[in-house]
Structure formats: structure tokens, C-alpha cells
Amino acid sequence: HVGPRRQFVITLSGRAELEVAGGKKVAVGAGHINLIEDTTGKGHITHNLGPDDRIVVTIPLADGAIGAVGR
């Protein structure tokens, strides 16, 4: 799926593997912060891993926001 908007996704608990462009796989777990920018095209595939639910916080970005952490 594609992201509904540019947003940060912060994983609070659980684990997943995100499959992004070109088949690259990115492991995420508690404490990971991902900037989701694939709002067009093929998007990404999320595979939840393990027995625990993956709980995330999403922070949508305003149009034109650069999305850099720590700037």
C-alpha cells in the first residue's frame, strides 16, 4: 500500500519488516522512527513479525514540511 500522506511512524512495540522499492527489506521494532514518503507508486508491504501486536504512533506532516529529525 502507499502511505496516506507523508508521516513519521514510530514503533512503540512489536516487530515488522517493511518491503520497499526494489524488494529491499527493512526491519523495525520498538523505538524505530520511520519517515514514510511513498504516497504514490507501488508503495510498501508491511509484514508483522512475532506474536505481539505492533503498536505505532503516526505523526502526519504538513504539506511542504521537510521531515528532518533534529533540524
Side-chain angles (χ1 to χ4, degrees):
H1 66 274
V2 295
R5 70 191 69 74
R6 290 181 67 238
Q7 62 187 348
F8 283 109
V9 176
I10 304 167
T11 301
L12 301 177
S13 66
R15 296 182 309 119
E17 181 178 77
L18 306 178
E19 186 173 335
V20 297
K24 179 180 176 184
K25 296 179 180 181
V26 179
V28 296
H32 281 98
I33 301 172
N34 298 94
L35 175 59
I36 305 300
E37 297 187 286
D38 59 345
T39 59
T40 62
K42 292 185 178 183
H44 62 277
I45 300 170
T46 303
H47 301 280
N48 289 322
L49 304 173
D52 298 326
D53 290 336
R54 181 170 172 244
I55 299 173
V56 301
V57 170
T58 60
I59 303 171
L61 297 173
D63 290 339
I66 60 171
V69 175
R71 283 195 193 175

